[in-house]
Amino acid sequence: MLNDQVALVTGGSRGIGRAAALALAGAGAKVAVNYQSSRAKAQAVCAEIEAMGREAVCLGADVAKSDEVDEMVKEVLTRFGRLDILINNAGVVRDSLLIRMKDEDWDQVLDTNLKGAFNCLRACARPMMKQRAGRIVNVSSVVGLTGNPGQLNYAASKAGLVGLTKSAAKELASRGILVNAVAPGYIETDMTDSLDSRAREALAENIPVKRIGNPKDVANLILFLAGSESAYITGQVIAVDGGLAM
Ligand code: NAP
């Protein structure tokens, strides 16, 4: 149980982040739900958490901007007085083949997915170091481990998260802070809703467990890594992909 622990979930308004925020709240945590533009959706997640009898706060911030992240973490500390769990989940895709990829496609994906995680990690490490305890879960992707044509920017950002995770794990372990990454495969969310039903079926056929994942599949692992049962695990990257990237 995470009773009275405080979690910050970036990109908590939709998809995997929403499922993680609800799972953490379900286990007893107070949750700060970050969003960039979907204020109403983030408010709906907070309302669901409050309906469970837990505290929640909605915080708008662009994770790519360190001043907005610092302000957001300050607000979490003002509101709840501590910060125990960071879920670095916010992410975007801007897919295109290498020779057509624009500078801004590269910059936006790297700035959000990798620099955004760094900004949040740096801002949250300070209060966690003072508490001499903390859990950080970075949401990478199997694409960061295997590569994917048309996703050079995204795969590079997600591979970067692997190095960030392992380095932070080594640097922060002696302060009682554990840092791990989850690497989802193909998960049903807004990010992946462009495929038609035939493409979806073909994709599922290639996954050993024969189905596309859902946000809860990933949230279950995030919850485990945020809780006391994972106290001897750090610096790991764990796939949640139905066997896709074996
Ligand atoms: P999603 O449904 O598109 O949701 C993305 C979330 O990130 C939204 O809450 C969005 O906020 C937030 N976000 C985007 N840019 C942001 C920024 N600059 N600052 C703050 N928040 C920002 O995506 P998802 O599928 O749940 O993906 C969540 C994470 O899992 C991402 O890191 C993604 O790369 C990773 N992942 C997903 C899959 C998959 O198959 N779906 C597979 C592997 C890894 P707004 O709602 O305000 O826009």
Side-chain angles (χ1 to χ4, degrees), residues 153-167:
N153 50 357
Y154 184 74
S157 73
K158 295 300 183 179
L161 281 178
V162 173
L164 185 86
T165 299
K166 290 174 186 281
S167 302

Side-chain angles (χ1 to χ4, degrees), residues 95-106:
D95 297 349
S96 92
L97 292 172
L98 168 62
I99 58 170
R100 292 201 202 115
M101 190 169 285
K102 297 187 175 67
D103 287 3
E104 45 277 29
D105 296 332
W106 175 269

Side-chain angles (χ1 to χ4, degrees), residues 11-17 34-38 61-64 89-92 112-113 139-141 154 158 184-187 189-192:
S13 50
R14 299 186 274 128
I16 293 168
N34 159 256
Y35 65 95
Q36 184 183 27
S37 52
S38 308
D62 179 350
V63 294
N89 164 80
V92 291
T112 304
N113 299 6
V139 181
S140 178
S141 166
Y154 184 74
K158 295 300 183 179
Y186 197 90
I187 309 296
T189 68
D190 292 346
M191 189 175 271
T192 51

Side-chain angles (χ1 to χ4, degrees), residues 5 14 17 39 49 58 63 69 87 106 115 139 162 206-208 219 233 242:
Q5 294 205 30
R14 299 186 274 128
R39 186 176 166 76
I49 292 171
C58 264
V63 294
V69 167
I87 312 300
W106 175 269
K115 187 168 181 235
V139 181
V162 173
N206 272 329
I207 299 171
I233 302 174

